[in-house]
Amino acid sequence: MPQNIQVELDFLQDLLLEILQEFSPKSTGYFSTLKHLFKSYAPPTQLAHELQATIESDQILDVIKAFSLCHILANLVEEHYKNKQPSTMGLDKTHNDLSHAGFSPKELADKLQHIHFYPVFTAHPTQSMRRTFLEAIQEMFSDLATIFDRPCDPAAMKKAKERLAYRLRLLYKSHLVRQEKLEVLFELDNLLYILENSFLPSCLDLCQQIQAAFKTPPPPPLKTGQLDRRR
C-alpha cells in the first residue's frame, strides 16, 4: 500500500476512534477488537467467538455503524489517491494519439463537431443512502484534500479537521440508510444532487480541456430535449 494512503487512513481512523470513544466507549472496544482481528487474519474460531459476543451485546448496531463509517472513510482515501494520479486516458491522450497517427488539426476539429454523447440517467429506487450522506461525503472529501494537499496552510488544515470531526459526529448520530420504503422520488433527489455537483462541473472541465487542446471554443456542451420514450 502506498505510504500516503496509509497516512491518510491512519489519520481518519484515529479521528473516527476519537469520536466513537466520546459516544460509546463500550462499542468502541468491540469495534477495535473486531477490526484488529480482521486486519490480522485471526483464526476463524477466534473471530467467530468475538463476533458472537458482539452480536449478543447491546452494542451491535453501534458497531455496525462504526464499520460502515470506516468503510466510507476508506473509500474517501481511495478516491483522493486516484484523483492525484496522472491520467492514462482522457482527451489529451486521445488528441495526442490521433495527431501522431496522422490526423491534422483541422480534421480533428471537424470530427469534434460531430461527436455526441447521450448520458442515460435512471431513477430506480435502489440507493438506500440518504442525500444528506452524499452531501457530507463530498464535503469530507474536500476537507481531506485541504489537509493533505495544502500542508503549508496550518489554519486551513485545522479548520478542515474540525469540519471532518463535526461531520463524522453528525453521521454517527444519523441513520445511515433510509428507514422508510424506497421510492423513485428518493433516487431522483440523489440524481439532482449528482447532476449539480458532479456531472455539470465535469462538463465544464471537459469544455476547458477541449478549448486548450483544439485552441478553439468548444461546441455547446449540453443540449436539452425530450426524453426518448421508445421501449
Side-chain angles (χ1 to χ4, degrees), residues 93-143:
K93 184 179 185 305
T94 302
H95 183 268
N96 290 333
D97 288 347
L98 291 174
S99 297
H100 291 149
F103 287 87
S104 68
K106 183 178 185 306
E107 288 176 313
L108 293 177
D110 290 342
K111 292 294 184 184
L112 182 65
Q113 301 298 323
H114 301 287
I115 294 177
H116 297 88
F117 171 62
Y118 297 94
V120 176
F121 302 108
T122 61
H124 301 295
T126 56
Q127 174 59 271
S128 61
M129 187 174 290
R130 297 183 293 126
R131 175 168 172 169
T132 50
F133 261 68
L134 297 178
E135 294 172 350
I137 289 171
Q138 185 173 41
E139 291 165 350
M140 290 165 67
F141 181 91
S142 176
D143 289 331

Side-chain angles (χ1 to χ4, degrees), residues 7 11 15 142-165:
V7 169
F11 167 79
L15 185 60
S142 176
D143 289 331
L144 184 67
T146 298
I147 293 171
F148 289 98
D149 295 346
R150 294 194 289 273
C152 297
D153 191 344
M157 292 172 62
K158 182 175 182 294
K159 290 181 179 179
K161 183 178 179 180
E162 291 172 352
R163 288 193 298 268
L164 268 173

Side-chain angles (χ1 to χ4, degrees), residues 20 24 26-32 34-35 38 51 54-55 57-70 172 176:
L20 294 177
S24 178
K26 188 175 180 180
S27 63
T28 304
Y30 282 113
F31 168 73
S32 298
L34 283 172
K35 184 170 174 290
F38 283 124
L51 281 171
T54 306
I55 292 172
S57 73
D58 59 351
Q59 306 295 313
I60 182 61
L61 293 180
D62 287 337
V63 173
I64 291 173
K65 183 176 289 188
F67 272 107
S68 297
L69 290 176
C70 189
Y172 182 78
L176 291 177

Side-chain angles (χ1 to χ4, degrees), residues 11-30:
F11 167 79
L12 289 175
Q13 290 179 2
D14 287 345
L15 185 60
L16 177 61
L17 282 175
E18 180 182 321
I19 292 168
L20 294 177
Q21 189 70 26
E22 291 177 12
F23 289 112
S24 178
K26 188 175 180 180
S27 63
T28 304
Y30 282 113

Side-chain angles (χ1 to χ4, degrees), residues 82-229:
K82 287 180 179 179
N83 283 359
K84 293 192 295 185
Q85 302 308 303
S87 176
T88 58
M89 301 176 63
L91 182 67
D92 287 339
K93 184 179 185 305
T94 302
H95 183 268
N96 290 333
D97 288 347
L98 291 174
S99 297
H100 291 149
F103 287 87
S104 68
K106 183 178 185 306
E107 288 176 313
L108 293 177
D110 290 342
K111 292 294 184 184
L112 182 65
Q113 301 298 323
H114 301 287
I115 294 177
H116 297 88
F117 171 62
Y118 297 94
V120 176
F121 302 108
T122 61
H124 301 295
T126 56
Q127 174 59 271
S128 61
M129 187 174 290
R130 297 183 293 126
R131 175 168 172 169
T132 50
F133 261 68
L134 297 178
E135 294 172 350
I137 289 171
Q138 185 173 41
E139 291 165 350
M140 290 165 67
F141 181 91
S142 176
D143 289 331
L144 184 67
T146 298
I147 293 171
F148 289 98
D149 295 346
R150 294 194 289 273
C152 297
D153 191 344
M157 292 172 62
K158 182 175 182 294
K159 290 181 179 179
K161 183 178 179 180
E162 291 172 352
R163 288 193 298 268
L164 268 173
Y166 171 74
R167 292 189 179 100
L168 275 175
R169 288 184 177 93
L170 287 181
L171 294 182
Y172 182 78
K173 299 300 290 184
S174 303
H175 293 297
L176 291 177
V177 297
R178 300 183 186 277
Q179 302 298 297
E180 63 271 38
K181 179 182 177 182
L182 296 178
E183 297 180 9
V184 171
L185 182 62
F186 300 153
E187 188 70 5
L188 287 174
D189 187 46
N190 287 345
L191 174 59
L192 290 174
Y193 176 78
I194 293 170
L195 284 174
E196 179 183 357
N197 294 275
S198 180
F199 182 75
L200 293 179
S202 296
C203 288
L204 178 60
D205 181 61
L206 178 60
C207 287
Q208 293 172 343
Q209 291 182 43
I210 291 174
Q211 187 164 1
F214 291 89
K215 312 302 181 186
T216 182
L222 294 176
K223 182 183 293 185
T224 58
Q226 187 175 8
L227 292 175
D228 186 353
R229 298 184 182 276

